[in-house]
């Protein structure tokens, strides 16, 4: 008898319930992923009204995704407790490998989809964060140029009404 055979296994019913919980969480994560992709597109276009709408949608759907994750985590802890698996060793991948039959196969299939969606959501959120920081840096730079031009630090015109050579006037002129 090897370790795999001796390891405690989830029941088919537990596998089915965990599969359902994972599928629900995956559905919620896919919705958030679609919103994250849209957010990226709206940031690149500087489409403020759509960004605001998208942010409201995040606020609407994020609680459902969190609740789905919490339900799945609670049930996973229940299974781990019943099987005597220590909390720090409890992993869905490991548990799914122990599952047998059709219920185990379905659990592994849904777990793979869940992992792909979760990975893509993390990646997209990271990309959006980089883009948001870039946009903020760009705005800070543009506002500094504008502030210097308006405050007279880099005058747009000299005392004869001509543009000074090498000044920031061209940047302000193009933005106006």
């Amino acid at each position: 008898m090897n370790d795999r055979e001796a390891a405690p296994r989830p029941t088919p019913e537990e596998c089915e319930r965990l599969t359902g919980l994972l599928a629900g969480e995956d559905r919620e994560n896919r919705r958030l992923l679609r919103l994250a992709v849209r957010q990226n597109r709206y940031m690149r276009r500087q489409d403020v009204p759509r960004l605001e709408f998208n942010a409201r949608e995040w606020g609407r759907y994020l609680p459902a995704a969190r609740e789905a994750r919490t339900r799945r985590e609670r049930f996973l802890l229940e299974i781990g407790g019943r099987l005597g698996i220590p909390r720090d060793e409890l992993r869905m991948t490991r548990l799914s490998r122990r599952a047998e039959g059709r219920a185990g196969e379905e659990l592994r299939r849904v777990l793979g989809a869940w992992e792909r969606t979760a990975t893509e959501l993390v990646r997209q959120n990271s990309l959006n964060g980089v883009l948001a920081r870039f946009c903020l840096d760009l705005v800070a730079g543009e506002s500094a140029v504008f502030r210097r031009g308006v405050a007279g630090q880099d005058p747009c015109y000299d005392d004869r009404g001509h543009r000074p050579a090498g000044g920031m006037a061209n940047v302000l002129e193009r933005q106006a």
Side-chain angles (χ1 to χ4, degrees):
M1 182 180 259
N2 63 33
D3 288 339
R4 184 166 157 33
E5 292 171 1
R9 300 178 187 288
T11 66
E13 294 78 20
E14 288 171 330
C15 289
E16 289 171 5
R17 182 166 173 212
L18 185 56
T19 298
L21 290 170
L22 274 172
E25 187 178 352
D26 186 53
R27 228 179 355 266
E28 297 299 332
N29 284 343
R30 278 187 277 123
R31 184 182 324 208
L32 293 179
L33 178 58
R34 285 190 298 273
L35 290 172
V37 169
R38 287 182 195 149
Q39 179 184 27
N40 186 280
R41 189 170 49 242
Y42 299 154
M43 279 193 291
R44 282 185 279 119
R45 285 195 228 153
Q46 299 175 3
D47 190 338
V48 175
R50 284 194 173 131
L51 271 170
E52 289 172 346
F53 176 78
N54 206 63
R56 286 190 302 274
E57 292 293 289
W58 265 98
R60 188 171 145 205
Y61 294 119
L62 189 57
R66 285 183 176 151
E67 181 57 34
R69 185 189 71 229
T70 299
R71 282 192 307 270
R72 188 250 318 148
E73 288 173 344
R74 278 190 201 130
F75 185 64
L76 190 61
L77 288 173
E78 283 179 34
I79 295 173
R82 185 188 70 75
L83 298 176
I85 301 171
R87 189 179 193 151
D88 60 329
E89 293 178 21
L90 186 59
R91 305 283 183 274
M92 284 191 299
T93 305
R94 189 179 296 168
L95 193 64
S96 73
R97 278 187 250 139
R98 294 177 178 177
E100 295 180 316
R102 264 186 93 56
E105 290 172 15
E106 184 65 9
L107 176 59
R108 286 185 288 279
R109 185 189 68 74
V110 171
L111 179 59
W114 175 86
E115 288 172 335
R116 287 186 296 276
T117 302
T119 300
E120 186 59 25
L121 180 57
V122 167
R123 187 187 78 76
Q124 187 62 54
N125 280 334
S126 177
L127 290 173
N128 287 356
V130 169
L131 182 57
R133 283 187 295 281
F134 172 77
C135 290
L136 289 172
D137 289 346
L138 187 62
V139 167
E142 288 177 353
S143 66
V145 168
F146 183 73
R147 184 177 53 250
R148 283 193 308 270
V150 171
Q153 294 169 0
D154 285 334
C156 294
Y157 300 99
D158 62 18
D159 55 355
R160 293 178 307 172
H162 296 100
R163 285 186 282 167
M168 295 300 219
N170 290 340
V171 174
L172 288 173
E173 185 177 296
R174 276 183 263 163
Q175 295 296 321

